[in-house]
Amino acid sequence: MAILGAFLVLGAISGLLAGLFGIGGGMVIVPALVYLLPKVGVPDDLIMSMALGTSFSTIVVNTFSAAQHHHKLGNIEFSVIKVFVPALMIMGFLTASIVTDLPKHIITKLFSVLMFYLSLKMFLSIKSQKVATKQLTVRSMITAGSVIGVLASLGGIAGGGFIVPFLEGRGLALKKAIGTSSFCGCLLGLTGMLSFMFYGYNIPNLPDYSLGYVYLPALFGVVSVSFFTSKLGAKLAAVLSVSILKRAFALLLVGIAINMFFKY
């Protein structure tokens, strides 16, 4: 019951932060699961794979409502989706096969470096609109989709920190870049969840109530609360000084990333 309570608290926090800062939950969920999963009997060598797979499963639920909302507002650019998403999903699926075979200390360090980069980027972010410097071509979308698919699979994240700047820097309006990113994140989360289920199928020593590398009690505990607190976070974003909170949160994430890098 104590662990289930911890999953509920994690869902509340990750949802609130997602709504407040517009980030994916993976940056918070993965480090928390690395700490919590050993307490439910997950073997040390499977912890990171379980954390990443479970993180992806929560992303599916957390990004679906956002993608649906953006679709109603007309903020999803489907001409980008049809080229960008296949590369994103294929590389995400293939990368999962490599990630699940890597030793825990290597996956942890790769995640820590990626988390450090995204946290630092969040800290240094400026709210000014980007000026398009390059054109959005089929080649650039395939290349970017492939690279982001790899990075997202390594980090158990929705990839918005990479997708939005890429699309905005190539001429897509910010609202359309965010809306398109949310749709991409939902499909990427689905791909990540299915791939970690597939590669974790019949793996020995998994805890009860697991589907491959997805731990179901964590999934249900997180999303049952985050779905509601994400809306609260969005409302708070309208009245709080998000830029200051965002930088403080980014510094906290940098500290967590450094701790994970040297601890595991």
Side-chain angles (χ1 to χ4, degrees):
M1 292 301 295
I3 296 299
L4 179 58
F7 291 146
L8 294 173
V9 171
L10 175 59
I13 294 173
S14 63
L16 185 67
L17 295 174
L20 191 60
F21 301 134
I23 63 169
M27 294 175 71
V28 177
I29 292 170
V30 173
L33 290 179
V34 169
Y35 172 76
L36 291 172
L37 289 176
K39 300 183 184 303
V40 295
V42 177
D44 187 71
D45 59 329
L46 300 179
I47 288 174
M48 276 304 294
S49 294
M50 290 288 293
L52 294 174
T54 305
S55 175
F56 273 125
S57 67
T58 65
I59 286 171
V60 177
V61 178
N62 290 341
T63 57
F64 177 77
S65 60
Q68 190 177 37
H69 179 68
H70 282 295
H71 178 55
K72 289 180 180 179
L73 296 176
N75 287 335
I76 296 178
E77 187 60 62
F78 284 98
S79 62
V80 173
I81 294 291
K82 66 182 182 181
V83 177
F84 189 75
V85 166
L88 193 71
M89 296 176 73
I90 290 170
M91 290 308 297
F93 187 85
L94 294 176
T95 303
S97 68
I98 300 172
V99 171
T100 53
D101 286 334
L102 290 175
K104 175 193 169 186
H105 69 279
I106 293 179
I107 309 176
T108 306
K109 284 175 171 49
L110 289 172
F111 173 81
S112 299
V113 170
L114 181 62
M115 186 176 170
F116 180 82
Y117 169 78
L118 290 172
S119 303
L120 200 60
K121 189 176 179 182
M122 181 190 296
F123 180 80
L124 298 173
S125 64
I126 301 174
K127 287 189 175 181
S128 59
Q129 188 169 346
K130 285 180 177 258
V131 177
T133 56
K134 299 178 182 178
Q135 290 189 337
L136 194 61
T137 64
V138 172
R139 177 180 291 182
S140 68
M141 286 189 284
I142 292 175
T143 302
S146 300
V147 172
I148 294 171
V150 171
L151 295 174
S153 191
L154 288 172
I157 58 177
F162 298 107
I163 297 172
V164 173
F166 166 73
L167 295 177
E168 191 186 3
R170 282 157 179 79
L172 212 62
L174 179 58
K175 288 184 178 180
K176 279 190 173 289
I178 294 172
T180 304
S181 175
S182 69
F183 190 85
C184 291
C186 185
L187 294 178
L188 181 60
L190 180 62
T191 302
M193 179 185 72
L194 293 176
S195 62
F196 276 86
M197 284 181 177
F198 176 77
Y199 294 120
Y201 184 71
N202 278 342
I203 293 293
N205 300 321
L206 289 176
D208 294 335
Y209 313 112
S210 297
L211 281 178
Y213 289 122
V214 175
Y215 187 55
L216 295 179
L219 166 61
F220 294 131
V222 169
V223 301
S224 64
V225 183
S226 65
F227 181 80
F228 300 101
T229 56
S230 61
K231 295 180 180 180
L232 174 61
K235 291 179 180 179
L236 289 175
V239 297
L240 297 177
S241 178
V242 175
S243 59
I244 295 176
L245 291 173
K246 195 174 187 179
R247 284 165 172 77
F249 176 61
L251 285 176
L252 174 63
L253 289 178
V254 168
I256 294 173
I258 293 173
N259 180 66
M260 284 187 68
F261 185 89
F262 290 105
K263 186 176 181 180
Y264 296 102

